[in-house]
Amino acid sequence: MEHICQKSLPHAPWMQPATRRLPGIQPLDMADWLVMDEAFGPQMALRDRLLKDRREEVFATMGGEEAAAEELLALILTRLGPGYEVGTGKVTRPDGVTVALDSNHPLLVAGRLVQEDLCLLDQPEGADEHVLTGAVLCFPASWSLSEKLGRPLTAIHDPVPEYEGHLAARVQRVFDALHPDRPLWRANALLYADPALHQPRRHADRRVQPKGQSPFLRSERQSLLRLPESRAVVFSIHTWVVAWDDLTADQIDGLAAHPIDKAGVGA
């Protein structure tokens, strides 16, 4: 699978105390929710190939999430940026690819319109935690959609040692308090030897840690917003992969002052 890298990292969570400490959640301006960067064309082409050739790996739902998926797709259609052409029953992306809006499950259609991976979470009646009910996950950073579908937040974050005890409870409180008018974001930073975007991995298959200086830094900007009608939570992930040499001098100096381990900051 080809390497798709951006030439710069617009955010660096290790640079600021507020984003450096877990969970590093910040208010999100919805104008900044969906990002279209210089990797749009190659990333979208890869998304299309994965959704066509490896659909069972990158798209899954539990059933019962259709209303939330329709609501998410409708929201995305109001937030598409310059270069999109929205017509009757179809959208033409800035790369010239036309996506039929009624051609498939609305969550899968939404996943073909934007660079972000899209996850839907809901809280079953009487449950203590939100569970993953559906996702388009083309660019997993060492986790498997099939292993996490239908599981609660604590189980989804099993591979992250920091995600336990009080932090798990704190994140659930964030979900409980999430308001449609007050979306949130956070970012992580991960050191990788392999820049491939599609890196699924089951919990038992630990990622091989880079030896020496990692040639690539992978960062996800993760956004959380609550849909006002269905009340489902959208967890969206925009992925940057940047060669170490393309980080700025300040970002490299910041890593020296606040090093991230091989698992990453806020993985």
Side-chain angles (χ1 to χ4, degrees):
M1 200 163 288
E2 75 269 32
H3 298 163
I4 301 170
C5 295
Q6 287 93 339
K7 295 298 291 183
S8 64
L9 183 65
H11 61 269
W14 63 89
M15 297 292 286
Q16 301 294 332
T19 53
R20 188 161 57 234
R21 61 175 177 265
L22 288 169
I25 293 173
Q26 305 295 308
L28 172 70
D29 184 339
M30 281 298 288
D32 300 325
W33 173 40
L34 300 175
V35 177
M36 186 169 62
D37 61 33
E38 76 270 24
F40 180 88
Q43 280 199 4
M44 296 308 295
L46 177 56
R47 294 178 72 80
D48 283 345
R49 289 197 297 276
L50 288 168
L51 287 166
K52 177 183 177 183
D53 299 335
R54 302 171 74 168
R55 173 171 167 165
E56 293 183 356
E57 296 178 43
V58 299
F59 170 68
T61 64
M62 291 180 60
E65 75 300 313
E66 292 85 356
E70 290 277 8
E71 189 178 4
L72 172 57
L73 176 58
L75 176 62
I76 286 175
L77 291 175
T78 70
R79 293 284 174 177
L80 296 176
Y84 286 89
E85 296 181 9
V86 181
T88 302
K90 63 182 181 180
V91 173
T92 301
R93 301 186 318 219
D95 59 354
V97 174
T98 296
V99 178
L101 297 179
D102 60 354
S103 60
N104 228 308
H105 191 287
L107 182 57
L108 191 149
V109 173
R112 292 195 61 210
L113 294 179
V114 295
Q115 281 179 259
E116 283 77 10
D117 280 325
L118 301 167
C119 303
L120 287 173
L121 298 102
D122 212 343
Q123 188 170 18
E125 186 174 355
D128 294 329
E129 295 185 89
H130 283 70
V131 301
L132 182 66
T133 60
V136 172
L137 185 73
C138 293
F139 305 151
S142 301
W143 61 287
S144 167
L145 176 56
S146 63
E147 194 174 50
K148 303 301 184 182
L149 186 70
R151 303 192 71 189
L153 279 176
T154 49
I156 290 173
H157 287 83
D158 274 346
V160 182
E162 297 88 346
Y163 195 94
E164 59 185 5
H166 71 281
L167 183 58
R170 182 179 173 187
V171 171
Q172 181 56 48
R173 286 196 296 271
V174 169
F175 271 63
D176 291 341
L178 191 62
H179 190 276
D181 294 332
R182 294 190 290 274
L184 303 168
W185 73 275
R186 67 179 298 272
N188 63 18
L190 306 154
L191 298 174
Y192 270 73
D194 182 357
L197 284 162
H198 181 69
Q199 294 203 44
R201 189 167 285 106
R202 299 187 70 82
H203 177 45
D205 301 327
R206 294 296 186 177
R207 178 164 66 93
V208 177
Q209 305 296 347
K211 295 180 179 180
Q213 176 59 62
S214 297
F216 298 95
L217 189 141
R218 178 175 179 141
S219 182
E220 299 174 331
R221 197 194 70 167
Q222 304 167 346
S223 299
L224 286 170
L225 59 142
R226 186 180 295 281
L227 298 171
E229 298 298 326
S230 65
R231 306 297 294 173
V233 172
V234 179
F235 178 63
S236 62
I237 309 164
H238 190 104
T239 302
W240 283 263
V241 178
V242 179
W244 181 269
D245 291 341
D246 286 328
L247 296 173
T248 68
D250 285 346
Q251 288 172 343
I252 292 174
D253 289 345
L255 283 170
H258 303 284
I260 60 175
D261 62 20
K262 297 293 190 294
V265 170

